[in-house]
Amino acid sequence: MNQEQTTGHPHIRPGRSPLVERTERATVGQTTVEDPRISCKNVAVYYDAKKAISNINLDIGRNEVIAMIGPSGCGKSTFLRCLNRMNDTIEGCTVSGQIFMDGKNIYDSDVDVVPLRAQVGMVFQKPNPFPKSIYDNIAYGARIHGLVQNRDETDELVVGSLKRAGLWGEVKDRLKMSGTSLSGGQQQRLCIARAIAVNPEVILMDEPCSSLDPIATAIIEELIDELKQDYTIVIVTHSMQQASRISHRTAYFYQGDLVEVGSTDQVFLNPLHQLTEDYITGRFE
Amino acid sequence: MNNLNKRAVPGNGRTIDIVKKGLNKRYRKERRFRVFGWAAVMISLGFLFLLFISIISNGYTAFQQTMVRLDVYLDTDVIDKDDLAGADYAKLIHEALLSVYPDVTKYNEKRKLYELVSTGAAYRLRDFVAKNRHAIGTTIQIWVPADDDVDMLIKGHIDRKTPQSRRRINDRQLAWVDHLISRGQVKKVFNMTFFTSGDSREPELAGIWGAVCGSFYTLIVTLVLSFPIGGAAAVYLEEFAPKNRWTDIIEVNINNLAAVPSIVYGLLGLAVFLNFFGLPRSVPLVGGLVLTLMTLPTIIIVGRSALKAVSPSIREAGLSIGASKVQLVAHHVLPQALPGMLTGTIIGMAQALGETAPLLMIGMVAFIVDIPAGFTDPSTVLPVQIYLWADSPERAFLEKTSAAIMVLLLFLMIMNATAVFLRRIFEKRQ
């Protein structure tokens, strides 16, 4: 046991065993925060009869970057998609429990998903720009929500969003070109620019760098660092290094359970749960 | 480390040797497959080639028409300047013929002589006179269409060696025709009549234009009704309808309808549009309605698969930015699916253009001489015209049939090319 730990993750302090056994699945760590932006209570998701995640209690703070980590199929993306009700579009998917935003459960029957999604933007794993011009990609959300009234405002918004996403210098001469003609990393930044053009309060990112090379990844990570000044960011990632670089807090999911959540330093350096430690040291049973 | 030394493959020998041993067999299989594929393509190309050869060799002569030059004396006794339409132009034509052969006196012989030129010659003469009133009282030269039998003879479709009793032209007529040819009074010209007139009992006067117009009006009705209805149905079923037992039943039935024999749609049209709603028979409006019913399932099925093919990541992108369902469909899904839907529609239209059976049931098989000028004029359509001509006994209609098939195929090719062209344009735009 001791030998395993010392040869494992370099950040782990040797000689200290986690407190919680593998069989225990109740969440350990700090699930609540003061004045949360989003507060999840007993969230469970079923695909038809198959349970995807259950009993998730988690607060997401204001202007916080929270990373979701865990092995494939553990339910972290499913949880992420609960936060802007994108799971509604999947057939046979049922969500139970409550997710509070501004004191209102977003799964109440009287909640309209259109304003919700304007408030909670999303960036997907695979860059998915619209097959329209770069300009229209950015302007689209603001146009349908009526955030811009005329051409000048739209221009300003497009330029501003592209600048924030760090894409302006690369595309300023070809705004009329199709968004799909950009490279993968540029497309992903275009998608981020598209998301922030609506000026949401929360941005959900579902493995935004998984299809990008290290350079594009570094640019996006820098961008996330920038964006956390103004937005709450929930990011799902497969890269523990990425999680440790960019997030304030980290949540570890395992087989549909939220096993541990805490400050990123604590989770990576002093995991409380045996399962968390197994994962971050690369040991799987 | 033990695991690395264990062979996953049973037996001895290096993998490379085993692979090489099997290579010949593998390549033989591939070659065989390629030969089969090549043969299949060649056979179908061959049959297509045969079809074209047979149609074109039978039909190309229909684009030419034999004309006979006559010197007609526009007798003021026959033509009343105040009543040009009422004059007996046939008599003038007959006199012109008799003036060439004054020795023909017997009634039967005269009739045979008159049969050398078409009955349409009188109309040609009338049109000429109407345009050239000053010529009345003089002798004019006019080219008039020859009778279809003479036309066939000139084109070589009547064998001179056949005994007279089994030939449509008797020896006397043969001599007259040869005499006229030797005097340069017979020539072959491009057959404008075929492209400008309606149907006729006389092959030399029959044309395809009436059927083309009929097909045009019918297809317009079909297009105007089936594209919006089919497109809307596809969009609703694919994007908005709840997935439950009812929509399952509807889907199964749409698929069933696509396989229903087209004549059944004709019967439906007869029962509903003609008998129940009392719409007129033989008109493009009803033809279009029936063909709409027939093409709707195709358009809906193709439209749905085009919508289904729109990548889900675009849908997610639209929804995640806060687009409503209708905005998502209108702004992102439809523009992507439109090329596919248009292709489906044009293929459906091509099907409708070639359809005969349902139109027989609603009376579009009637013999109609006039060119239809609207949606409620009695008319026929191209494939029905082909059917009618193929049914006619005269040898001259054989070439008309093939020529009409060529025209129909040309329209089909144009439509399919349009489908390809439109798809290219829409794909480029994205």
Side-chain angles (χ1 to χ4, degrees):
Chain A
M1 174 70 80
N2 262 341
Q3 201 190 1
E4 286 287 343
Q5 275 187 6
T6 45
T7 55
H9 199 281
H11 295 300
I12 301 276
R13 261 181 265 156
R16 192 189 157 281
S17 4
L19 304 169
V20 184
E21 285 300 309
R22 289 193 180 100
T23 47
E24 179 62 48
R25 292 297 163 83
T27 309
V28 296
Q30 192 65 30
T31 60
T32 55
V33 297
E34 292 250 327
D35 186 24
R37 187 74 199 79
I38 300 174
S39 180
C40 308
K41 302 265 183 260
N42 289 319
V43 175
V45 178
Y46 289 82
Y47 294 122
D48 292 319
K50 193 177 158 293
K51 185 193 82 175
I53 54 173
S54 64
N55 197 28
I56 308 289
N57 288 288
L58 181 64
D59 283 359
I60 294 161
R62 289 178 196 276
N63 290 16
E64 164 177 86
V65 179
I66 180 165
M68 312 275 161
I69 60 170
S72 294
C74 68
K76 52 195 190 303
S77 289
T78 300
F79 174 69
L80 189 77
R81 295 168 61 95
C82 289
L83 300 178
N84 65 346
R85 288 186 58 172
M86 280 302 280
N87 281 335
D88 291 12
T89 60
I90 298 171
E91 216 172 309
C93 177
T94 46
V95 179
S96 65
Q98 290 116 31
I99 297 176
F100 291 98
M101 256 185 98
D102 301 324
K104 175 88 183 153
N105 178 12
I106 62 170
Y107 278 92
D108 273 355
S109 53
D110 61 336
V111 169
D112 188 352
V113 293
V114 168
L116 172 71
R117 286 175 188 156
Q119 201 179 359
V120 183
M122 187 159 188
V123 177
F124 295 85
Q125 180 172 2
K126 204 174 132 239
N128 55 356
F130 299 129
K132 301 172 187 289
S133 72
I134 294 171
Y135 187 96
D136 287 337
N137 258 286
I138 310 280
Y140 179 71
R143 277 188 190 139
I144 58 170
H145 294 306
L147 304 178
V148 284
Q149 306 306 329
N150 53 43
R151 185 84 199 181
D152 289 342
E153 282 180 28
T154 315
D155 286 347
E156 195 181 324
L157 176 88
V158 169
V159 175
S161 304
L162 283 172
K163 277 184 177 158
R164 291 216 62 178
L167 197 58
W168 173 246
E170 291 158 69
V171 302
K172 64 181 174 207
D173 301 323
R174 40 179 178 155
L175 293 177
K176 289 266 174 293
M177 269 177 63
S178 172
T180 49
S181 65
L182 298 172
S183 74
Q186 289 173 328
Q187 285 191 18
Q188 194 62 295
R189 276 181 284 153
L190 179 65
C191 291
I192 295 174
R194 180 178 68 191
I196 58 180
V198 188
N199 198 24
E201 293 159 33
V202 181
I203 301 177
L204 311 177
M205 296 187 174
D206 191 355
E207 297 179 38
C209 302
S210 65
S211 57
L212 306 183
D213 69 16
I215 296 168
T217 303
I219 296 173
I220 300 229
E221 282 181 15
E222 254 170 61
L223 175 59
I224 292 170
D225 212 44
E226 273 277 315
L227 295 174
K228 71 183 177 199
Q229 322 286 332
D230 304 295
Y231 305 99
T232 301
I233 297 173
V234 186
I235 180 167
V236 165
T237 177
H238 267 301
S239 157
M240 282 176 279
Q241 286 83 356
Q242 185 171 57
S244 63
R245 279 193 299 264
I246 60 174
S247 66
H248 303 122
R249 285 206 302 155
T250 298
Y252 174 63
F253 284 75
Y254 183 72
Q255 292 182 347
D257 293 304
L258 175 57
V259 168
E260 178 166 354
V261 58
S263 80
T264 300
D265 285 345
Q266 177 257 308
V267 169
F268 281 103
L269 300 178
N270 285 313
L272 300 174
H273 204 292
Q274 184 67 53
L275 286 168
T276 317
E277 198 209 75
D278 290 349
Y279 185 69
I280 61 179
T281 55
R283 187 166 47 149
F284 304 101
E285 311 268 310
Chain B
M1 291 305 279
N2 277 342
N3 284 345
L4 290 178
N5 295 333
K6 250 187 198 154
R7 292 172 54 90
V9 192
N12 298 314
R14 294 169 64 202
T15 301
I16 181 79
D17 298 329
I18 301 171
V19 169
K20 273 183 178 162
K21 218 158 67 188
L23 270 187
N24 268 338
K25 201 177 162 199
R26 242 192 266 183
Y27 288 143
R28 254 203 318 280
K29 235 183 204 169
E30 262 170 50
R31 268 197 301 275
R32 211 180 308 137
F33 183 77
R34 235 178 309 175
V35 167
F36 281 145
W38 187 82
V41 170
M42 282 302 134
I43 288 172
S44 41
L45 273 183
F47 276 112
L48 193 67
F49 194 66
L50 269 181
L51 173 83
F52 277 110
I53 290 283
S54 102
I55 290 171
I56 292 173
S57 65
N58 272 326
Y60 78 99
T61 46
F63 297 118
Q64 284 197 319
Q65 187 178 24
T66 306
M67 305 291 271
V68 177
R69 194 190 69 212
L70 292 179
D71 301 314
V72 184
Y73 173 58
L74 299 177
D75 195 341
T76 40
D77 292 346
V78 178
I79 304 174
D80 179 359
K81 275 198 176 177
D82 299 322
D83 182 21
L84 290 179
D88 187 356
Y89 295 103
K91 191 177 167 201
L92 294 176
I93 297 282
H94 294 164
E95 276 169 3
L97 280 166
L98 281 174
S99 69
V100 185
Y101 303 106
D103 55 321
V104 177
T105 48
K106 283 194 200 116
Y107 174 73
N108 275 344
E109 285 196 326
K110 276 185 183 173
R111 266 194 49 200
K112 286 286 172 201
L113 180 63
Y114 300 159
E115 276 174 10
L116 288 185
V117 298
S118 164
T119 49
Y123 305 121
R124 285 287 173 98
L125 186 61
R126 183 193 62 196
D127 293 345
F128 178 86
V129 171
K131 273 189 207 144
N132 306 282
R133 298 172 75 103
H134 59 85
I136 297 171
T138 62
T139 299
I140 54 144
Q141 281 196 344
I142 186 170
W143 288 95
V144 295
D147 187 68
D148 59 306
D149 291 330
V150 176
D151 191 40
M152 289 297 104
L153 178 76
I154 302 284
K155 285 171 179 169
H157 295 314
I158 290 180
D159 190 355
R160 286 163 185 264
K161 290 185 198 111
T162 317
Q164 180 174 233
S165 58
R166 288 169 54 196
R167 204 190 310 129
R168 285 184 64 87
I169 285 192
N170 66 21
D171 291 341
R172 192 74 198 274
Q173 285 177 305
L174 262 181
W176 287 328
V177 171
D178 288 339
H179 178 246
L180 284 173
I181 292 172
S182 68
R183 286 176 42 148
Q185 275 183 274
V186 176
K187 68 170 179 184
K188 282 200 280 186
V189 297
F190 179 70
N191 190 354
M192 272 312 280
T193 315
F194 182 70
F195 293 101
T196 53
S197 26
D199 199 7
S200 170
R201 290 278 180 238
E202 305 297 329
E204 72 275 11
L205 300 178
I208 198 82
W209 187 240
V212 170
C213 288
S215 273
F216 175 76
Y217 289 122
T218 308
L219 281 191
I220 289 287
V221 174
T222 311
L223 181 67
V224 163
L225 290 176
S226 65
F227 183 57
I229 297 177
V235 168
Y236 178 76
L237 285 173
E238 194 57 41
E239 302 290 329
F240 296 98
K243 302 273 177 283
N244 56 28
R245 190 142 39 105
W246 287 110
T247 46
D248 280 351
I249 290 173
I250 290 173
E251 182 168 354
V252 168
N253 278 300
I254 287 174
N255 290 334
N256 284 339
L257 282 178
V260 166
S262 57
I263 195 150
V264 176
Y265 287 104
L267 284 168
L268 179 73
L270 174 65
V272 175
F273 298 128
L274 296 191
N275 290 346
F276 185 74
F277 287 113
L279 292 171
R281 56 188 69 235
S282 306
V283 300
L285 176 67
V286 179
L289 286 170
V290 169
L291 292 178
T292 300
L293 291 180
M294 199 199 76
T295 46
L296 264 181
T298 315
I299 293 179
I300 294 175
I301 290 169
V302 175
R304 288 188 69 170
S305 60
L307 289 165
K308 221 176 270 177
V310 173
S311 99
S313 75
I314 296 296
R315 294 168 190 273
E316 288 198 319
L319 287 176
S320 75
I321 208 96
S324 65
K325 192 80 215 208
V326 174
Q327 283 171 331
L328 175 73
V329 172
H331 299 159
H332 304 297
V333 178
L334 263 187
Q336 296 261 308
L338 209 54
M341 291 175 95
L342 274 181
T343 313
T345 306
I346 293 177
I347 288 171
M349 288 297 113
Q351 229 176 44
L353 175 64
E355 200 55 69
T356 323
L359 302 179
L360 303 184
M361 288 288 119
I362 54 155
M364 286 188 93
V365 71
F367 169 73
I368 286 146
V369 178
D370 294 326
I371 312 278
F375 297 103
T376 49
D377 285 355
S379 58
T380 188
V381 292
L382 276 168
V384 175
Q385 187 67 73
I386 291 168
Y387 165 75
L388 284 171
W389 282 348
D391 223 22
S392 303
E394 286 90 346
R395 173 65 179 76
F397 274 125
L398 178 70
E399 60 175 33
K400 301 269 183 222
T401 307
S402 294
I405 291 172
M406 278 188 255
V407 172
L408 180 62
L409 287 180
L410 183 76
F411 278 112
L412 287 174
M413 280 178 204
I414 290 173
M415 288 176 79
N416 287 334
T418 315
V420 174
F421 179 70
L422 279 178
R423 200 168 43 196
R424 288 258 171 84
I425 285 189
F426 277 101
E427 275 166 2
K428 217 174 266 171
R429 242 179 38 183
Q430 274 153 22

